[in-house]
Amino acid sequence: MDTKNRIMETADKLFYFQGYQSTGINQIIAEANVAKGSLYNHFPSKRELGHAYVKQSSEEWFKGIEEELEAYSDPTQKLLAIFSFSEKYAQINHFNGCRLINILTEVTDQDDQITTMAVAHKQKFREFLYQLTTKIFTNSAQALEISDTIYLLYEAATVESKIFKNKWPIELARKNATQILAQNQIPNNK
Amino acid sequence: MDTKNRIMETADKLFYFQGYQSTGINQIIAEANVAKGSLYNHFPSKRELGHAYVKQSSEEWFKGIEEELEAYSDPTQKLLAIFSFSEKYAQINHFNGCRLINILTEVTDQDDQITTMAVAHKQKFREFLYQLTTKIFTNSAQALEISDTIYLLYEAATVESKIFKNKWPIELARKNATQILAQNQIPNNK
DNA sequence: GTCTATATTGTGATAGAC
DNA sequence: GTCTATCACAATATAGAC
């Protein structure tokens, strides 16, 4: 593997599992077996490496979600499949939560590009859910309310499964999302 | 105000708004107008100051919740009042989220006392909600499912209002919690 | 208890040889 | 492009005067 990829892989592991602020350049170059000069050749600063990490984290996450949803054609099933992805993601990542939320919490500067990119990622996810939901509910206000509720449930599932190191929040979020979609989808034929 | 309180007040402000890892001892003593020796007289290490911060954050939060709920006697109204508290807390704190979740994300060591205390805080909140919910639903399994769902909604509201710097997640969480309680509370008289 | 001064280690970043 | 060596500065923590 080439130098840049070794740096990125090590940075991803350390930024995510050890924390962005708690991880120094020295540790990254040591574990990636790269000289300090080489790192600064590819990334002019730690912040720029952070930007690359955030960009990659977002892209990989959406890639994973889209692959998971590919298996379904029904929008309701697609919407519920996000919780299956959440469970897989959590298991692979030892219940360490969302890369974007984690770094957003660590970088408190609102004007920092890391913050901007993380918020944009979440906004993109909300819109992704809304697009799926409008295929089920034609009323756009109702669709937005339902898609954002599913968004809240998904996010809570991620954060709380990290806190408790357990998948119960994901299961419960999925159950609630299922009920919400079932309640609203078919009008009561009385 | 005495030295210890000045340290605690400054530490609270900086740990919460600037971040625990991003805040150094030097900045705390400078802004609190205290000498380094004085800080280390009261707190033997930064970690111990962190423990005190977490303990105080948890106590203040529960105090705020309990004061908010005092106004109501009906358990359903009490449960919904947590979202009114959330809104007040968010507004006072400039949508900076939960002190416990934030520091939990920054301190990645699972064995650290800060982590343990933050998880215990969340567990205590879950039990608090469960106790209120059992007053409405006698079936304990159903009560747990409903109380944990409200817990998830509350947590998502806090985290997402921090991300978007907006109260819409709190309003939406409250609306969903209202529906869940209404749907289950009164059996359909057909 | 509070202060000044200092010790020690680690940080992000740079210069220049190869 | 990658390396070694080194910079200036900030981190946590300690020693000892008052």
Side-chain angles (χ1 to χ4, degrees):
Chain A
M1 199 188 294
D2 70 344
T3 309
K4 191 167 182 175
N5 279 334
R6 267 202 330 277
I7 296 170
M8 277 303 288
E9 205 171 79
T10 308
D12 177 75
K13 186 187 73 182
L14 291 172
F15 284 167
Y16 183 44
F17 290 106
Q18 185 177 277
Y20 175 75
Q21 304 283 9
S22 308
T23 300
I25 293 292
N26 295 316
Q27 191 183 0
I28 294 173
I29 61 167
E31 296 195 17
N33 267 28
V34 166
K36 192 168 280 193
S38 299
L39 186 145
Y40 278 96
N41 178 53
H42 291 288
F43 304 96
S45 70
K46 185 189 173 182
R47 267 287 139 92
E48 298 270 352
L49 178 56
H51 298 164
Y53 161 73
V54 169
K55 188 169 184 287
Q56 181 181 264
S57 297
S58 176
E59 286 170 358
E60 291 288 314
W61 186 88
F62 271 107
K63 202 178 129 194
I65 273 274
E66 275 157 16
E67 277 174 11
E68 182 76 31
L69 271 56
E70 256 176 16
Y72 308 94
S73 56
D74 176 47
T76 302
Q77 283 184 303
K78 275 183 188 285
L79 277 172
L80 292 173
I82 63 173
F83 296 99
S84 306
F85 173 72
S86 176
E87 231 169 88
K88 286 179 190 169
Y89 193 89
Q91 224 119 47
I92 290 166
N93 293 298
H94 310 288
F95 295 99
N96 199 43
C98 170
R99 279 171 168 78
L100 288 310
I101 292 183
N102 290 2
I103 199 167
L104 184 83
T105 305
E106 289 199 70
V107 178
T108 50
D109 182 5
Q110 289 301 310
D111 298 329
D112 194 289
Q113 203 179 334
I114 286 175
T115 307
T116 314
M117 290 167 80
V119 174
H121 169 91
K122 293 302 179 186
Q123 190 60 38
K124 188 178 167 187
F125 179 38
R126 278 183 70 204
E127 279 161 19
F128 178 82
L129 293 177
Y130 177 69
Q131 289 309 319
L132 282 174
T133 312
T134 46
K135 291 181 181 172
I136 311 170
F137 305 97
T138 48
N139 181 326
S140 64
Q142 187 194 20
L144 184 60
E145 199 172 293
I146 290 171
S147 70
D148 271 342
T149 299
I150 292 171
Y151 170 75
L152 288 185
L153 287 168
Y154 181 92
E155 293 285 277
T158 306
V159 172
E160 301 303 317
S161 67
K162 171 187 168 70
I163 293 176
F164 294 105
K165 303 289 171 200
N166 195 288
K167 67 177 181 179
W168 72 257
I170 305 173
E171 307 291 358
L172 183 57
R174 189 214 313 269
K175 189 166 183 176
N176 275 281
T178 307
Q179 282 173 5
I180 287 166
L181 289 170
Q183 276 164 19
N184 294 285
Q185 197 163 7
I186 302 153
N188 288 332
N189 298 324
K190 285 187 183 159
Chain B
M1 196 188 298
D2 69 345
T3 309
K4 192 167 182 175
N5 279 335
R6 271 208 320 283
I7 295 170
M8 278 302 289
E9 206 170 79
T10 309
D12 178 75
K13 187 188 73 183
L14 291 172
F15 284 168
Y16 183 45
F17 290 106
Q18 184 177 277
Y20 175 75
Q21 304 284 8
S22 308
T23 301
I25 293 293
N26 294 317
Q27 191 183 1
I28 294 172
I29 60 166
E31 297 195 16
N33 267 28
V34 167
K36 193 168 281 192
S38 298
L39 187 146
Y40 279 97
N41 177 53
H42 291 287
F43 304 97
S45 69
K46 185 189 173 182
R47 267 286 138 92
E48 299 269 351
L49 178 57
H51 298 163
Y53 162 73
V54 169
K55 188 169 182 288
Q56 180 180 265
S57 297
S58 176
E59 286 169 358
E60 291 288 314
W61 187 88
F62 271 108
K63 201 178 131 196
I65 273 274
E66 275 156 17
E67 277 173 13
E68 182 75 31
L69 271 56
E70 255 176 17
Y72 307 94
S73 56
D74 177 46
T76 301
Q77 283 183 304
K78 274 183 188 284
L79 277 172
L80 292 174
I82 63 173
F83 296 99
S84 306
F85 173 72
S86 177
E87 229 168 271
K88 285 179 191 170
Y89 193 90
Q91 224 117 47
I92 291 167
N93 292 298
H94 309 287
F95 294 100
N96 199 43
C98 170
R99 280 170 167 79
L100 288 309
I101 291 183
N102 290 2
I103 199 167
L104 185 82
T105 306
E106 289 199 70
V107 178
T108 50
D109 182 4
Q110 289 303 309
D111 297 330
D112 194 288
Q113 203 179 334
I114 288 174
T115 307
T116 313
M117 289 167 80
V119 174
H121 168 91
K122 292 302 178 186
Q123 190 62 36
K124 188 179 168 187
F125 180 38
R126 279 182 70 204
E127 278 159 20
F128 178 82
L129 293 177
Y130 177 70
Q131 289 308 318
L132 282 174
T133 311
T134 47
K135 291 182 181 171
I136 311 170
F137 305 97
T138 48
N139 181 326
S140 65
Q142 187 194 19
L144 184 60
E145 199 172 292
I146 290 171
S147 70
D148 271 341
T149 298
I150 292 171
Y151 170 75
L152 288 185
L153 287 168
Y154 182 92
E155 291 286 277
T158 306
V159 171
E160 301 303 316
S161 68
K162 171 187 167 72
I163 293 176
F164 295 106
K165 302 289 170 202
N166 195 288
K167 67 177 181 178
W168 71 257
I170 305 173
E171 306 291 358
L172 184 57
R174 189 214 312 266
K175 189 166 184 179
N176 275 281
T178 307
Q179 282 173 4
I180 287 166
L181 289 170
Q183 276 163 19
N184 294 284
Q185 198 162 7
I186 303 152
N188 287 331
N189 298 325
K190 286 189 185 160

